[in-house]
Amino acid sequence: MSLLLAVLFLALFISAIVRGKFSYGKADYDFHEHPVQFVIVVVFILGVSALCFYRFLVEMEFIR
């Protein structure tokens, strides 16, 4: 499950970087209109993806 979440958040991160915008719920984040908020949210998404991948590595006992 952790690996699936990591891949999903990484896909969301890559999609946001490539397109320069993304929508979640009723909020639209666009790099050209709100660069600070966009960067904060994208870094948060990348952090969640890294955390999920770390949890996957711990669950599979690659890291102790």
Side-chain angles (χ1 to χ4, degrees):
M1 187 66 171
S2 297
L3 182 61
L4 178 63
L5 286 173
V7 169
L8 287 174
F9 280 114
L10 189 62
L12 181 62
F13 170 77
I14 292 172
S15 173
I17 294 296
V18 168
R19 295 184 313 149
K21 63 179 176 178
F22 71 96
S23 297
Y24 181 75
K26 293 184 180 181
D28 295 327
Y29 296 96
D30 189 357
F31 178 73
H32 298 294
E33 292 179 13
H34 308 287
V36 174
Q37 291 90 342
F38 180 80
V39 170
I40 290 171
V41 172
V42 168
V43 168
F44 176 75
I45 291 171
L46 182 62
V48 171
S49 176
L51 178 65
C52 290
F53 189 64
Y54 173 75
R55 289 293 306 155
F56 169 73
L57 292 176
V58 169
E59 288 173 2
M60 299 307 284
E61 297 181 0
F62 291 122
I63 299 176
R64 292 184 183 234

